[in-house]
Amino acid sequence: MDMMSNCMLCPRKCGVNRHNAIGFCRSGDTVSAAKAYLHQWEEPCISYKNGAGTVFFSGCSLRCCFCQNMAISRKNIGKSISERRLADIFLELQEQGADNIELVTPTHFVPQILNALDLSKHRLKIPVVYNSGGYELTDTINMLDGYIDIYLPDIKYYSSSASEKYSSAADYFKYASDAVLSMSSQVGRLQYNEDGGLTKGMIIRHLVLPGLRHDSMKILDWICENIPRENALISIMNQYTPFDFIPDSCAELRRRVTKMEYNSVVNHARALEMDGFTQDISSSAEKYVPDFNFIGI
């Protein structure tokens, strides 16, 4: 089936013929990637030895006004590569000692990624990680069954008004919650290797935003009520950075998350007895934003 001729891979369902135009994701039918390298700063069970073999794809189905990867998500900085080249990149990262193959913002290139994995997975001895913003269709997630070992989705918002204002997606939680349920059912219980590296399962990420700590707590409540504890870890992130490009309409985001805001979310997770990861206040800094200079592409 040619999924590029009437693209319905993400909840936007824009129906664009990506063979001769770009979709809402700002991408055509050829894979575009900005960087492929060993990423040392993911969660400890993802970057546990030599680092995750991370591939950053260009384009995105969200419009987050605060996106730290704006250069590739909106400006589409990246290099066009074939499916064969993508498969070779996976194998090269493995040869460099990657702990896994981590696909970052991959949704709009799922058919091409599956083709690349068909060319390489019989030679891959490490897990494949699907790292996404959470705004997914369950139909697309179902296509990944048997290919993905670890899901690393965000759940960014519970409130539809916040997701509309900050990411132009009023239906964000509806789709993200359904997608996370599908991911959990697909990969099942958390599994680790002898080095403590995750080999199967899911880590749900949540970035705490200024003024939205109560929204964060509602997300944690939902996770606790709907996802089996043995299937997922929670990663509560404190790396929100207020960039100059944040528009006037979202001026309330032009500050860092306070210690009180972040700690209140962490304490709520502890009260729920959730397992996972937190970040130091030093994570909130522009130095943690990747330099997209086509390394490894």
Side-chain angles (χ1 to χ4, degrees):
M1 181 186 298
D2 180 7
M3 296 186 181
M4 293 292 103
S5 62
N6 179 32
C7 190
M8 300 291 227
L9 287 170
C10 83
R12 301 292 180 182
K13 297 182 181 178
C14 63
V16 168
N17 182 347
R18 287 172 55 189
H19 293 303
N20 53 35
I22 61 172
F24 186 92
C25 59
R26 304 192 181 207
S27 301
D29 62 355
T30 302
V31 172
S32 179
K35 192 168 188 174
Y37 75 125
L38 298 184
H39 188 0
Q40 305 284 348
W41 302 108
E42 301 291 47
E43 284 78 2
C45 60
I46 298 292
S47 296
Y48 59 91
K49 199 171 182 181
N50 298 318
T54 305
V55 182
F56 285 93
F57 294 97
S58 307
C60 185
S61 59
L62 288 171
R63 290 285 186 272
C64 302
C65 65
F66 52 84
C67 180
Q68 71 173 19
N69 294 344
M70 186 75 75
I72 62 171
S73 66
R74 298 278 282 277
K75 296 180 181 179
N76 261 48
I77 290 175
K79 182 177 179 181
S80 294
I81 57 175
S82 67
E83 293 169 0
R84 176 71 264 179
R85 176 60 192 142
L86 183 59
D88 288 342
I89 286 171
F90 297 158
L91 295 171
E92 289 165 10
L93 288 168
Q94 177 174 255
E95 289 172 6
Q96 293 167 29
D99 299 327
N100 44 63
I101 300 300
E102 183 186 16
L103 312 168
V104 180
T105 318
T107 311
H108 47 295
F109 292 127
V110 160
Q112 296 91 330
I113 289 169
L114 293 182
N115 289 339
L117 286 171
D118 282 337
L119 292 170
S120 60
K121 204 162 193 326
H122 64 290
R123 293 173 58 191
L124 286 175
K125 310 300 182 186
I126 52 178
V128 178
V129 181
Y130 189 87
N131 177 343
S132 88
Y135 194 51
E136 304 276 358
L137 289 177
T138 55
D139 285 348
T140 301
I141 298 303
N142 290 339
M143 291 167 56
L144 299 166
D145 194 6
Y147 289 90
I148 301 302
D149 303 290
I150 300 165
Y151 281 105
L152 189 57
D154 293 337
I155 300 185
K156 296 178 182 291
Y157 313 97
Y158 188 90
S159 161
S160 59
S161 59
S163 61
E164 169 63 23
K165 184 174 185 180
Y166 300 138
S167 295
S168 300
D171 54 5
Y172 175 86
F173 183 75
K174 171 184 179 296
Y175 284 106
S177 57
D178 284 347
V180 166
L181 288 171
S182 293
M183 293 173 185
S184 176
S185 296
Q186 192 178 112
V187 294
R189 295 173 65 95
L190 296 160
Q191 298 177 33
Y192 301 86
N193 61 25
E194 62 275 10
D195 295 315
L198 191 64
T199 59
K200 196 86 169 175
M202 178 167 63
I203 301 174
I204 302 172
R205 285 177 166 174
H206 174 67
L207 176 66
V208 180
L209 294 173
L212 288 182
R213 64 191 179 96
H214 294 294
D215 197 63
S216 298
M217 293 177 192
K218 290 178 182 178
I219 290 169
L220 295 178
D221 290 339
W222 181 87
I223 293 170
C224 192
E225 292 167 4
N226 291 276
I227 304 296
R229 292 177 185 271
E230 65 271 18
N231 284 22
L233 298 170
I234 310 304
S235 183
I236 303 175
M237 305 175 75
N238 192 33
Q239 65 189 53
Y240 176 76
T241 303
F243 291 100
D244 293 340
F245 53 69
I246 291 174
D248 291 342
S249 59
C250 302
E252 65 274 16
L253 295 184
R254 291 175 178 165
R255 67 170 177 86
R256 299 193 184 279
V257 171
T258 67
K259 186 175 181 179
M260 181 278 293
E261 286 175 314
Y262 183 70
N263 285 345
S264 66
V265 176
V266 170
N267 289 338
H268 191 68
R270 287 174 178 158
L272 294 171
E273 300 182 337
M274 303 177 89
D275 292 329
F277 309 98
T278 59
Q279 289 183 317
D280 295 332
I281 192 67
S282 59
S283 323
S284 177
E286 293 189 27
K287 68 181 180 180
Y288 291 98
V289 179
D291 177 19
F292 298 111
N293 53 10
F294 309 131
I295 289 176
I297 301 296

